Amino acid sequence: MENIVSMVFNRSAKYGERDVFRYKKGEGGLYGNISWNNFTEKVQQVSKAIISLDLSDAHNIGIFSENRPEWVMSD
């Protein structure tokens, strides 16, 4: 079975600039999009930040925010 990290990188390689997310931006009725490539880049940034804090599987991290696409990237 494919692990989540492999899945993200495999999908990014396959779908590149295709949208992985579309989301409502504010109250104006506008929508934003995030491509697979951008999603993978953001996931790597979050991963590097967590590693730089010397956190391990034993640590808990909480997200205090409004509902937004970055939740999935952080998770």
Side-chain angles (χ1 to χ4, degrees):
M1 185 168 132
E2 186 176 38
N3 71 37
I4 190 71
V5 174
S6 295
M7 187 276 305
V8 168
F9 285 104
N10 289 341
R11 298 308 184 279
S12 181
K14 183 175 181 177
Y15 298 116
E17 290 304 313
R18 287 178 57 184
D19 290 348
V20 64
F21 296 113
R22 290 193 49 77
Y23 60 97
K24 189 172 180 184
K25 293 172 63 171
E27 298 298 322
L30 299 175
Y31 284 82
N33 64 312
I34 298 172
S35 71
W36 274 100
N37 287 339
N38 186 257
F39 174 69
T40 303
E41 179 182 324
K42 298 293 183 186
V43 167
Q44 288 177 315
Q45 289 173 353
V46 170
S47 298
K48 288 177 183 178
I50 291 170
I51 290 167
S52 75
L53 295 171
D54 200 28
L55 299 175
S56 70
D57 293 346
H59 291 92
N60 294 313
I61 300 173
I63 301 171
F64 183 72
S65 175
E66 295 178 0
N67 193 10
R68 46 188 308 132
E70 288 83 359
W71 282 26
V72 177
M73 295 171 197
S74 300
D75 191 32

